[in-house]
Amino acid sequence: MMYSAEIVAGSLLMNETRKLAEVLLRDQSKAAWLNAVIGENVLQKKTQSTAKRMAGLIRHRLETGDAEIWKLIANGDFELSSQATLVLVIRRSRLLADFMSEVLGLKMRRLDFKLVQKDWDDFLQECELRDPVVAGWSELTKAKLFEVLVRILAEGRYLNSSKEKMIQGVMIRPEIRAYLEATNDQTTLASMELHR
């Protein structure tokens, strides 16, 4: 399976990701994690099931990185922290990675800066050819995925807002570039630079 709809569960979730990156930097044990999520309710969720679900999504993302990027997330200014979080979300979601490099990148090169529904629909058709699982997604799931991807791109400053959806260039922070080069992750860097 090439593509997953997991990303539908949440956008960058910056505040929550920062808190949980701090937890992992202090102690990576399962006991410490559960204590933070359930005992201390660091995510400030009304129910344990909501806290567990969100923490699980974020943990999967954080596990695509290491202590070095967790520090950038936990201690960096907002822009640095959000770019570091975006790195992990891209690593976890091939759908987002491909959408950034194939759709946003192509539109930028064509000087067509308005993201529209047709861009998403056309992209999904191509995805179906690469991975039959995409054809099995409901229309509701596809619509929700687009909504979440747009929110992520707006939070990451690749779109001016989730309402207007105007594509804009992003200067990748030197710390992020250095981290991706040190971890030999040219794929994520290419997605963030909107290159194929």
Side-chain angles (χ1 to χ4, degrees), residues 142-191:
K142 291 174 182 178
K144 181 72 175 163
L145 277 167
F146 186 48
E147 183 185 309
V148 172
L149 286 184
V150 164
R151 205 172 329 129
I152 287 169
L153 294 169
E155 290 169 0
R157 306 279 191 261
Y158 284 84
L159 298 177
N160 69 332
S161 74
S162 54
K163 190 174 179 181
E164 287 185 25
K165 301 184 192 74
M166 295 301 291
I167 303 165
Q168 50 194 19
V170 172
M171 291 293 294
I172 297 168
R173 290 281 291 265
E175 302 95 325
I176 299 298
R177 189 177 296 281
Y179 174 78
L180 291 171
E181 287 171 356
T183 56
N184 198 27
D185 188 355
Q186 297 304 315
T187 306
T188 301
L189 183 57
S191 292

Side-chain angles (χ1 to χ4, degrees), residues 82-169:
S82 61
Q83 283 192 14
T85 301
L86 183 60
V87 164
L88 303 185
V89 177
I90 290 170
R91 283 179 172 177
R92 184 77 188 165
S93 175
R94 174 77 183 270
L95 192 71
L96 175 62
D98 287 356
F99 188 74
M100 289 178 75
S101 54
E102 293 173 20
V103 179
L104 294 192
L106 181 62
K107 287 182 78 77
M108 285 283 279
R109 288 188 291 282
R110 290 180 174 167
L111 304 179
D112 173 10
F113 301 111
K114 176 75 172 158
L115 184 65
V116 295
Q117 181 68 43
K118 186 177 182 337
D119 297 320
W120 174 244
D121 296 339
D122 292 349
F123 172 71
L124 279 184
Q125 282 187 339
E126 289 180 30
C127 291
E128 285 180 18
L129 298 175
R130 293 178 222 158
D131 185 353
V133 77
V134 176
W137 293 345
S138 71
E139 290 308 311
L140 187 65
T141 297
K142 291 174 182 178
K144 181 72 175 163
L145 277 167
F146 186 48
E147 183 185 309
V148 172
L149 286 184
V150 164
R151 205 172 329 129
I152 287 169
L153 294 169
E155 290 169 0
R157 306 279 191 261
Y158 284 84
L159 298 177
N160 69 332
S161 74
S162 54
K163 190 174 179 181
E164 287 185 25
K165 301 184 192 74
M166 295 301 291
I167 303 165
Q168 50 194 19

